[in-house]
Amino acid sequence: MTEFWRFARMMLYYRRLLIIAAVGVFIDAICVMGGFGSLTWIITMFFEQGVTIRELVADKLADSRLEQWTGLDLSPLAQWIPAGELAGLAFIMVFILALSLVGSAGRFTHEYCTMTVVMRTVMRVRKRLFNRLVHLPVAVANQDSTASRIARVIRDCQQLTNGFTALVSRAVRGIALGLALLALAFYLDYVLALTFLFIVPPVMIMIRKFGKKVRKASRRALKHYGIMLGAITESLQGLRVVKVHHAEGYERRRFNRINREALTQEMRARVAKAMSAPTVELFALIGVMGVMMIAAWSVYGGGRQASEVVSVLMMLAASAGMFRSVAGLNNHLQEAAAAAQSIDEVLSLPVENTARDEQGQALPAVPRHRRAIVFDDVWYTYPGSESPAVAGVNLTVPAGSICAVVGSNGSGKSTLLGLLPRLYEPTEGRVLIDGVDIADCTLRSLRRQIALVTQETVLFDGTIADNIIYGSRHVSHEQMVAAARQAYADAFIESMPDGYQSNIGERGMRLSGGQRQRLALARAILRDPAILILDEATSQIDADSEARINEALTDFMRSRTTFVIAHRLSTVIHADMIVVMDNATVASIGTHQELLQSSDVYRVLCRTQLQGLPQ
Ligand code: ADP
Ligand code: MG
């Protein structure tokens, strides 16, 4: 619950609106109180024949208590009320109507303001959540499925909205009106009102008990909802694979299982949720019966006026109704508390340290790379993994050279190069650019000079131009076209109906794999990096185009340091140095000719992995 209150406190940011809302609810409560108070006169008039409203009001206004509280003599006000029975009744009805109109205006103000506050606050929570999520280090982000994160942002925030609304809008109103009516009942007959209060403690205990159950069950249900969303996303994103493998049945069964599990979790909260209202009501009923007994006794044994007792009972019943509706809101609050806990978990995940060290000192920027990149005894083990993915790598790459990294699948090539833009932080050892440890400088200055093109190209729903320009600022159309030409992408782009303004669909679905990779290359070229990392960047481009891209890139690569993980020998042969990775370590380093002589691993790779061996 503490997390919920912490988020709820964020609402205090909108103090002005909250104060206006409080005034609104106050007016509402006063008007309801006035309305019920006036009703007692009508009841009395019905019970006691021959009494007019005017006499009753005059009687009440002459009450010395009233004069003490207000300090005014209000009795002349009764003059304004028509003396006749029916005319008096009509007058008091119009009065009640007017009160309820004013009360409604108050209620509107209250709801309007609180809704504004709730929506704005939840928007701020969502913003914080997303900020946190995009700044998660890759290693942390990998630990949870994307879809369950999406679920958090959407569904948890919805629950939070419900909880906040229940709290500041409905609970506040229910309590204010309940208290107002209770106060009126006390004013009329404190003995009956006190008896009524005896039922409050047991009911409160009940509500707490049920609340705990609901909160726990709700948390589990939320988690399963995340898992379910993950399953749906996976199945639907891989729909083509699912269909080709005839795996619809498998996917259906898998989903059904998860769906049923989510249902079971939701059902658990069902008992607690459904039990709470009836139990509370039962207790309330017992209490009301006690009050009735005392009321009956005071009428028959104590000689009280029946009309007065009826009025008090009516007031107490109305007040109880208000409080009951508040009790029903507890479930919403508990669900929101569960959501708040889960949001809080995300918000307390670590973020990438971007510009400051642990002491809060601003980190220096890495100057643009021009000397050498050094891996100094670098180790990296994935969280939760037993063996290292990179083990004791020592490597020096002079600026301006092309370094090819080869090795069998899973030998640690991608991991090694992922350390350079600090997608992962080395578990041990250092990576130095021009002698500066990259762990000690700003991420921004580091990443600005690196372009990474991977096998899985990441494109966004938008036009081709948007996708090429992504991440670069202030580029002209000509620069963009030039980059596209270097990536050998201009031909296919110009053949599209809208050229550079063509929409490529979600994740670039409307393009072929090779076309997507060319766009990704163009994007990297446009960024003008000092360090270019190509991780099987051309794996889906045909050999002919790849040769042309390589040709076009030769100039581009001359002035920068390039790391290339390639699967074609034609690319590897031209590299200044070839790093052979084997089982997370560097097996050997050299040129193509040297390695053919010295490295068994390389010879095997040449035979089995690298395509296009020149004869
Ligand atoms: P390569 O690019 O050479 O094919 P990777 O660097 O991708 O190999 O992977 C090296 C090793 O690290 C593999 O054994 C792989 O199973 C493991 N690995 C890769 N990514 C992760 C991850 N996110 N979590 C845990 N282990 C991983
Ligand atoms: Mg790889």
Side-chain angles (χ1 to χ4, degrees), residues 174-427:
I175 290 172
L177 265 57
L179 283 180
L181 292 170
L182 198 61
L184 201 57
F186 261 96
Y187 170 74
L188 292 174
D189 188 331
Y190 63 90
V191 179
L192 279 184
L194 266 181
T195 324
F196 172 77
L197 281 189
F198 270 110
I199 54 177
V200 172
V203 170
M204 289 300 278
I205 293 170
M206 291 280 166
I207 291 175
R208 277 187 76 93
K209 261 216 156 81
F210 285 121
K212 236 187 207 150
K213 280 224 174 76
V214 171
R215 187 165 73 231
K216 277 199 186 135
S218 209
R219 243 181 98 59
R220 278 194 299 262
L222 276 179
K223 204 165 137 225
H224 270 84
Y225 182 77
I227 296 176
M228 181 158 80
L229 213 73
I232 298 177
T233 319
E234 250 172 45
S235 311
L236 297 188
Q237 273 183 351
L239 203 58
R240 292 210 279 195
V241 180
V242 171
K243 285 188 184 305
V244 173
H245 284 84
H246 235 299
E248 289 99 335
Y250 170 80
E251 290 294 330
R252 223 173 40 226
R253 281 189 297 278
R254 185 168 81 111
F255 179 75
N256 286 347
R257 205 167 49 240
I258 296 170
N259 198 9
R260 252 197 314 273
E261 182 58 30
L263 178 72
T264 318
Q265 297 301 345
E266 275 179 339
M267 296 281 231
R268 289 220 175 133
R270 182 183 54 166
V271 177
K273 271 193 203 170
M275 282 277 282
S276 63
T279 319
V280 168
E281 266 166 45
L282 189 69
F283 267 78
L285 191 66
I286 294 172
V288 168
M289 283 176 170
V291 176
M292 288 281 193
M293 291 298 284
I294 293 178
W297 170 78
S298 71
V299 171
Y300 294 108
R304 289 284 307 272
Q305 293 281 355
S307 62
E308 257 177 54
V309 174
V310 169
S311 298
V312 177
L313 285 181
M314 186 185 73
M315 227 74 83
L316 287 177
S319 163
M322 291 296 168
F323 286 123
R324 204 192 71 188
S325 69
V326 174
L329 294 177
N330 192 39
N331 288 344
H332 286 293
L333 283 187
Q334 298 306 335
E335 280 171 355
Q341 233 172 319
S342 122
I343 291 173
D344 187 64
E345 268 170 28
V346 177
L347 289 183
S348 46
L349 288 174
V351 279
E352 281 181 316
N353 133 27
T354 51
R356 289 177 186 280
D357 64 10
E358 282 100 44
Q359 282 84 42
Q361 296 286 317
L363 291 165
V366 218
R368 194 168 165 98
H369 156 68
R370 56 164 63 94
R371 298 213 305 273
I373 294 169
V374 177
F375 287 83
D376 176 17
D377 191 27
V378 174
W379 294 69
Y380 182 75
T381 311
Y382 280 99
S385 170
E386 309 227 314
S387 53
V390 168
V393 168
N394 284 296
L395 181 65
T396 303
V397 182
S401 55
I402 299 175
C403 171
V405 183
V406 298
S408 53
N409 287 334
S411 56
K413 305 182 295 289
S414 299
T415 312
L416 180 71
L417 296 190
L419 293 168
L420 208 44
R422 275 172 67 188
L423 295 181
Y424 314 108
E425 307 277 348
T427 332

Side-chain angles (χ1 to χ4, degrees), residues 32-230:
V32 168
M33 199 158 94
F36 269 88
S38 312
L39 265 184
T40 59
W41 291 321
I42 299 179
I43 292 172
T44 314
M45 197 184 106
F46 282 137
F47 269 88
E48 293 162 38
Q49 301 292 320
V51 186
T52 64
I53 297 283
R54 183 175 175 166
E55 286 162 7
L56 285 169
V57 175
D59 196 33
K60 192 60 54 182
L61 289 180
D63 190 336
S64 61
R65 278 191 289 177
L66 208 60
E67 198 176 331
Q68 265 172 19
W69 290 341
T70 56
L72 297 169
D73 182 17
L74 295 171
S75 39
L77 286 180
Q79 307 297 323
W80 297 93
I81 302 172
E85 277 178 15
L86 285 183
L89 186 63
F91 177 87
I92 206 77
M93 295 243 216
V94 170
F95 177 67
I96 292 176
L97 193 67
L99 268 185
S100 94
L101 274 180
V102 176
S104 299
R107 186 174 180 183
F108 171 82
T109 312
H110 171 236
E111 296 219 344
Y112 181 90
C113 293
T114 50
M115 268 191 237
T116 314
V117 170
V118 168
M119 288 169 186
R120 291 224 169 126
T121 307
V122 174
M123 188 206 72
R124 283 171 59 221
V125 172
R126 271 201 301 261
K127 187 170 132 188
R128 274 208 213 169
L129 255 179
F130 186 76
N131 275 355
R132 188 51 65 141
L133 288 174
V134 282
H135 285 297
L136 285 186
V138 175
V140 177
N142 280 346
Q143 284 165 14
D144 208 347
S145 92
T146 313
S148 91
R149 293 253 158 77
I150 297 175
R152 273 200 179 148
V153 179
I154 306 294
R155 179 166 159 162
D156 291 4
C157 287
Q158 185 56 47
Q159 301 268 35
L160 207 58
T161 308
N162 293 345
F164 283 171
T165 312
L167 181 70
V168 292
S169 173
R170 299 199 276 156
V172 165
R173 176 169 191 267
I175 290 172
L177 265 57
L179 283 180
L181 292 170
L182 198 61
L184 201 57
F186 261 96
Y187 170 74
L188 292 174
D189 188 331
Y190 63 90
V191 179
L192 279 184
L194 266 181
T195 324
F196 172 77
L197 281 189
F198 270 110
I199 54 177
V200 172
V203 170
M204 289 300 278
I205 293 170
M206 291 280 166
I207 291 175
R208 277 187 76 93
K209 261 216 156 81
F210 285 121
K212 236 187 207 150
K213 280 224 174 76
V214 171
R215 187 165 73 231
K216 277 199 186 135
S218 209
R219 243 181 98 59
R220 278 194 299 262
L222 276 179
K223 204 165 137 225
H224 270 84
Y225 182 77
I227 296 176
M228 181 158 80
L229 213 73

